[in-house]
Amino acid sequence: MSKDGKIGEVVEAAVSSGLEVKLGLTSPEQIKTGYPVIAEGEKFDFYSVVMDIYNPPVPVIDTVATSNLAKMAIPAVSGGMQKGYFGNIFYSKAHLEPIQIIDKKTGDLGEVETIPQYFTEVRFATAEDVKVIYQPTETSLPLGNLRGIPEFLIPIDFEKLTQKAFAILGRTGMGKSFLNKIICNFILQTKVASVLVFDMHGEYGMFSATDNSRGLKFYFPQKVEWFTLDWAKTKEAIPFFIDPRSISPEDLILAISDLSQRMKDAIWEINRAKADADLLASIKTAVPSQTVPESTLRGLQARVGRLSRLEFIKETPKSMKEDPFNTMLRRVKESKSIVLDFGRYGKDSMVYLFVANVISRRLLDLYEDKSDELPRLVIFLEEAHKFLDPSVADLTIFSVLAREMRKFNLIVSLIDQRPSKIDDEVMSQLGNRIILSLKETNDLKRALSGVPKADIWGNIVQTIPGRTALIVGDAVRVPTVVEILDYSKIQDFLKDPQTGKKRQTSEEIQRIAKDAEKIVTSIS
């Protein structure tokens, strides 16, 4: 690479298909897909992203490859011996996708409607180049640095991110959970919304059960209410239980995956005839009939019995002034965020599907009632395909949330590793997508559906490493490849907006309180 950062020159260009660049680097390993580069045209700088790097076919290579003469004929150790009258005989190329053009005189940004000339020099982009494109707003915080420019943090507008449904997509092990925790913290920091997190693995409360990293309740002790389904294990959190009278047929059909069609029909039949009793009790005491055969009923009772045995399903005691559901809803009205810890139930998919659907349905009822102006709430839905697969989407309220609820300030965030199983119409409603590595063809197509030049961006998504994401949508000016922040570094961005100082954590508040108590004791 030259001292001025030059990587090569344009040898082919089209508005529709991008730029082909002959590389002048000593090795193609000096550049990677997703890197930002600048093609320096006469009137415009073409801000571009490296989409592919390849060695074009050369007949003599095919002839001598694997032979003993190969390295003697083409000495790999001496770049100079590979040169002819017209430059390097053996070289690599890169395919670039121009993203924006920058007027050299005015600095104005524009869409790509033209191409640079032959032999236009191409160089690595610098922080000075990209800061013209990525302008922060009052509600911006960085999710990470621009791939290829580690010193430049990409501002993400969290106000725009949370205005519509959005998705975090990527294979297992690519960093979705860490990214999601960063996003939750930054939503609270920028005050654009509250969040509701179904915490299956104990990641979001005070400390992570996996790696002991700090959770939302640690950083925002006054803003976050922490509930738990497993109050014997998580004693610091508020016990949460579900009154069986609030359970609907849809909740059971979604949660219990091995129901036959006859069993599903039986649930509806029993629900119609149950009078004042709750649905679970009605199923337990039901007797066979012409519409509900004995074999169907026995199978249904055995399956529903799994839910009946869950400790957090119980009637609200008459002595309790306010049940946990209403406590949660009241906190939501007060702009508090909610973390619901699943404790020992975290690995039970049936429990997750059941609880998430019951709670979200109650929230939908609350937000559809326009009698109150309610704060914006983002519901984070992990394993989203289990709720939004076309075969079950009509049974859940999440398809309604994704399609319609932004006008009511209730937003859903889909977190998933199999986007191919999510309903097409739901995917089309997403305002922003944060896409980590995906390999499976159908997942790639669905994750990038509706994105211009999706096939080209698909190459990036297939090749980026873990904790690296393509961000597409109106929360960032142009499609951008970002290397995600280390979660341990987010403390640097969690500052009190009034003082500009780092936000005090619950641990620090408790320490100050103890010091104050010692002073008072010594005085008295």
Side-chain angles (χ1 to χ4, degrees):
M1 186 179 69
S2 64
K3 292 182 179 179
D4 60 0
K6 179 180 176 181
I7 64 170
E9 296 178 358
V10 174
V11 295
E12 188 178 343
V15 172
S16 60
S17 58
L19 311 180
E20 298 295 324
V21 174
K22 180 180 177 180
L23 297 178
L25 302 169
T26 56
S27 168
E29 295 176 12
Q30 293 177 269
I31 192 170
K32 295 179 181 179
T33 55
Y35 274 24
V37 295
I38 299 289
E40 296 185 320
E42 289 187 1
K43 184 178 179 182
F44 301 107
D45 283 337
F46 291 75
Y47 175 68
S48 309
V49 174
V50 178
M51 294 294 189
D52 200 3
I53 306 157
Y54 62 97
N55 292 327
V58 179
V60 68
I61 294 291
D62 288 339
T63 302
V64 301
T66 73
S67 73
N68 294 330
L69 298 175
K71 290 187 178 180
M72 295 172 60
I74 310 166
V77 295
S78 175
M81 293 186 72
Q82 298 181 29
K83 289 183 178 291
Y85 289 110
F86 302 103
N88 288 348
I89 301 169
F90 308 107
Y91 54 87
S92 299
K93 283 187 171 182
H95 177 72
L96 313 182
E97 181 63 29
I99 304 298
Q100 291 270 277
I101 55 176
I102 307 169
D103 191 298
K104 287 179 176 262
K105 289 184 178 179
T106 65
D108 292 340
L109 302 175
E111 299 300 318
V112 180
E113 300 175 294
T114 185
I115 56 173
Q117 295 184 6
Y118 286 120
F119 309 125
T120 293
E121 290 192 358
V122 181
R123 60 174 173 80
F124 285 113
T126 66
E128 283 295 312
D129 296 318
V130 296
K131 75 178 184 181
V132 177
I133 296 170
Y134 299 101
Q135 297 289 332
T137 66
E138 290 184 357
T139 54
S140 290
L141 279 174
L143 289 181
N145 65 271
L146 184 62
R147 180 164 163 82
I149 309 181
E151 69 273 18
F152 188 83
L153 297 173
I154 294 294
I156 305 298
D157 190 328
F158 280 84
E159 171 66 29
K160 291 184 177 178
L161 179 69
T162 58
Q163 285 177 345
K164 302 176 184 176
F166 63 94
I168 303 169
L169 309 171
R171 293 184 294 133
T172 301
M174 291 295 104
K176 295 191 300 296
S177 295
F178 286 103
L179 174 57
N180 194 47
K181 284 178 72 174
I182 295 172
I183 289 174
C184 286
N185 275 289
F186 285 178
I187 286 174
L188 299 189
Q189 176 63 28
T190 53
K191 298 182 178 180
V192 297
S194 302
V195 302
L196 167 59
V197 179
F198 299 111
D199 190 5
M200 292 189 293
H201 307 297
E203 296 289 329
Y204 296 87
M206 189 66 73
F207 294 96
S208 165
T210 305
D211 60 8
N212 208 39
S213 59
R214 296 166 176 178
L216 297 184
K217 183 66 173 176
F218 182 95
Y219 285 121
F220 298 93
Q222 306 305 315
K223 284 187 174 184
V224 175
E225 288 290 351
W226 189 17
F227 292 86
T228 183
L229 298 176
D230 188 1
W231 45 87
K233 180 180 178 181
T234 313
K235 293 181 168 55
E236 308 95 324
I238 301 170
F240 186 87
F241 58 85
I242 294 174
D243 193 307
R245 289 171 294 186
S246 67
I247 296 172
S248 73
E250 294 94 337
D251 299 326
L252 299 183
I253 294 170
L254 175 69
I256 305 172
S257 60
D258 57 348
L259 292 174
S260 67
Q261 186 56 51
R262 284 190 174 186
M263 292 177 191
K264 294 175 184 178
D265 294 340
I267 290 174
W268 288 107
E269 183 68 26
I270 293 170
N271 186 66
R272 279 193 290 270
K274 69 181 176 61
D276 294 331
D278 69 78
L279 182 54
L280 293 183
S282 297
I283 291 173
K284 184 178 180 180
T285 58
V287 295
S289 65
Q290 288 185 338
T291 55
V292 184
E294 182 175 359
S295 59
T296 299
L297 181 60
R298 298 296 173 249
L300 174 60
Q301 289 172 333
R303 287 161 175 79
V304 171
R306 303 177 209 162
L307 283 174
S308 300
R309 290 189 290 271
L310 297 173
E311 292 182 17
F312 62 82
I313 296 180
K314 63 177 186 176
E315 291 188 9
T316 305
K318 293 181 180 180
S319 59
M320 183 174 282
K321 294 181 180 179
E322 183 179 62
D323 66 30
F325 246 131
N326 285 315
T327 300
M328 179 181 287
L329 297 180
R330 179 166 55 83
R331 294 306 192 194
V332 167
K333 290 179 180 179
E334 296 169 354
S335 299
K336 294 292 182 74
S337 290
I338 306 296
V339 173
L340 179 59
D341 171 73
F342 275 61
R344 68 179 184 272
Y345 304 109
K347 294 182 180 180
D348 192 329
S349 180
M350 179 189 69
V351 171
Y352 172 52
L353 292 169
F354 172 72
V355 171
N357 202 55
V358 171
I359 291 176
S360 299
R361 184 163 44 80
R362 288 284 294 269
L363 285 168
L364 176 62
D365 293 341
L366 177 68
Y367 272 74
E368 280 186 322
D369 180 3
K370 296 182 181 180
S371 60
D372 294 317
E373 188 64 33
L374 296 172
R376 184 183 300 169
L377 179 69
V378 181
I379 301 176
F380 285 86
L381 190 66
E382 295 195 39
E383 301 284 342
H385 71 272
K386 292 182 178 179
F387 297 89
L388 295 169
D389 186 291
S391 64
V392 299
D394 290 342
L395 297 172
T396 78
I397 60 88
F398 293 102
S399 59
V400 177
L401 293 180
R403 293 185 186 105
E404 302 175 14
M405 291 308 293
R406 67 177 182 270
K407 56 191 173 187
F408 296 117
N409 253 358
L410 192 58
I411 309 298
V412 64
S413 170
L414 312 181
I415 307 162
D416 206 80
Q417 70 272 22
R418 295 304 309 274
S420 61
K421 294 186 176 182
I422 297 176
D423 185 73
D424 270 334
E425 188 179 351
V426 171
M427 292 294 292
S428 70
Q429 299 298 318
L430 298 175
N432 289 273
R433 306 175 200 199
I434 305 174
I435 309 171
L436 296 102
S437 175
L438 289 168
K439 297 290 186 182
E440 209 276 328
T441 302
N442 290 333
D443 289 331
L444 276 168
K445 287 182 179 178
R446 187 63 58 84
L448 292 165
S449 59
V451 176
K453 299 188 177 181
D455 55 335
I456 298 175
W457 288 109
N459 184 59
I460 294 287
V461 175
Q462 279 186 308
T463 57
I464 53 178
R467 302 200 183 184
T468 305
L470 169 66
I471 304 178
V472 182
D474 58 4
V476 63
R477 184 182 179 95
V478 294
T480 303
V481 181
V482 173
E483 294 173 334
I484 304 301
L485 281 172
D486 187 318
Y487 184 73
S488 64
K489 303 290 178 62
I490 68 165
Q491 174 78 31
D492 297 338
F493 302 97
L494 300 180
K495 297 179 179 179
D496 189 308
Q498 295 181 342
T499 65
K501 298 179 180 179
K502 289 183 181 178
R503 182 180 296 278
Q504 288 183 332
T505 65
S506 58
E507 195 175 63
E508 291 166 336
I509 291 171
Q510 290 174 6
R511 188 170 62 249
I512 292 170
K514 286 181 180 179
D515 291 342
E517 187 178 350
K518 289 178 182 178
I519 294 171
V520 172
T521 303
S522 65
I523 293 173
S524 59

